[in-house]
């Protein structure tokens, strides 16, 4: 688990280098037992993940984010092979991978990983976790600089977000955040239009865009 010229509106605040949830909280979530599993299976799954997560945690603390990203990818592959692609512990490990991709500055990968997780968890009717993944995807989306790419990603994000808001879950009680995302789409569309009208101008590096 960063200026604007004539081509755009007033800049938004810089995205923070890490999500609001710290890495320790993400690692704790990965190791937390799933209440849907029998105790023996919970213990086996947690033990299976304990060592790789500890190594990933240490790498992040040492600032070796790229190494941590590689370790997280391998851990997901091994865990999925042993436990199954949609095992609860594998899903939490995939969340960790998305978080580290964000730390590594790979906003696009973090976005896709988080949005895929949101789809899986919505399908499992775990609406709280799905909304958490939507929020992670939104954080990664705001770090994408290119306005046209942001528009494409935003359509996918808002489409799923809207569906989730129609479910009986926390997204339905937090519509202000969804409206904020829709407002950002308007700003991105304007920036993309202005950039298209002036192809010789260098696209601005908008804060929070």
């Amino acid at each position: 688990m960063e200026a604007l010229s004539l081509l755009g509106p007033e800049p938004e605040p810089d995205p923070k280098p890490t999500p609001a949830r710290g890495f320790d909280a993400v690692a704790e979530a990965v190791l937390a037992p799933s209440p849907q599993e029998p105790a023996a299976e919970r213990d086996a799954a947690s033990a299976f993940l304990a060592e790789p997560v500890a190594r990933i945690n240490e790498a992040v603390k040492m600032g070796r984010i790229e190494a941590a990203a590689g370790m997280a990818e391998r851990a997901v592959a091994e865990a999925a092979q042993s436990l199954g692609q949609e095992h609860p512990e594998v899903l939490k490990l995939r969340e960790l991978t998305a978080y580290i991709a964000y730390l590594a500055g790979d906003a696009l990968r973090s976005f896709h990983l988080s949005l895929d997780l949101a789809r899986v968890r919505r399908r499992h009717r775990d609406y709280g976790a799905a909304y958490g993944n939507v929020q992670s995807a939104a954080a990664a989306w705001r770090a994408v600089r290119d306005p046209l790419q942001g528009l494409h990603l935003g359509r996918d994000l808002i489409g799923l977000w809207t569906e989730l808001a129609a479910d009986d879950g926390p997204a339905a009680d937090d519509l202000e955040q969804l409206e904020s995302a829709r407002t950002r789409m308007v700003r991105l569309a304007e920036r993309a239009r202005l950039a298209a009208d002036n192809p010789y101008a260098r696209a601005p590096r908008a804060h929070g865009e």
Side-chain angles (χ1 to χ4, degrees):
M1 46 289 182
E2 310 184 89
L4 220 130
S5 66
L6 298 176
L7 291 180
E10 290 297 319
E12 297 179 273
D14 273 322
K16 300 300 181 185
T18 60
R21 240 183 354 160
F23 180 79
D24 289 342
V26 177
E28 181 180 353
V30 168
L31 294 176
S34 172
Q36 293 87 2
E37 297 177 274
E41 292 183 16
R42 290 202 307 264
D43 292 344
S46 295
F48 181 82
L49 295 174
E51 184 178 348
V53 169
R55 291 198 304 267
I56 294 165
N57 189 15
E58 185 63 24
V60 170
K61 287 180 178 179
M62 295 175 63
R64 298 170 53 235
I65 304 301
E66 291 186 8
M71 286 188 283
E73 295 283 357
R74 291 191 294 273
V76 167
E78 292 171 5
Q81 185 174 13
S82 298
L83 302 173
Q85 289 285 347
E86 296 189 3
H87 187 284
E89 300 300 325
V90 175
L91 295 181
K92 286 186 284 188
L93 191 54
R94 287 169 62 186
E95 181 182 64
L96 176 63
T97 305
Y99 170 85
I100 295 175
Y102 185 89
L103 292 181
D106 192 346
L108 189 60
R109 176 155 180 75
S110 181
F111 173 88
H112 286 301
L113 288 170
S114 297
L115 206 63
D116 286 346
L117 277 168
R119 292 189 181 103
V120 170
R121 282 172 159 154
R122 180 173 182 257
R123 190 170 68 247
H124 291 177
R125 298 183 182 277
D126 189 350
Y127 299 126
Y131 187 48
N133 295 140
V134 162
Q135 290 292 303
S136 295
W141 174 56
R142 293 185 189 101
V144 173
R145 300 299 186 181
D146 181 77
L148 190 57
Q149 186 177 48
L151 283 171
H152 291 314
L153 299 178
R155 290 188 189 104
D156 290 341
L157 173 66
I158 290 175
L160 179 58
W161 198 336
T162 301
E163 293 174 2
L164 197 59
D167 297 326
D168 185 18
D173 299 324
D174 194 17
L175 296 179
E176 183 178 346
Q177 292 294 319
L178 177 56
E179 288 306 313
S180 176
R182 288 173 172 152
T183 298
R184 182 176 189 250
M185 287 289 285
V186 174
R187 292 197 300 270
L188 288 172
E190 179 64 8
R191 286 183 54 213
R193 183 188 67 79
L194 291 170
D197 289 345
N198 188 6
Y200 298 104
R202 185 170 178 266
R205 183 176 182 272
H207 294 282
E209 296 287 339

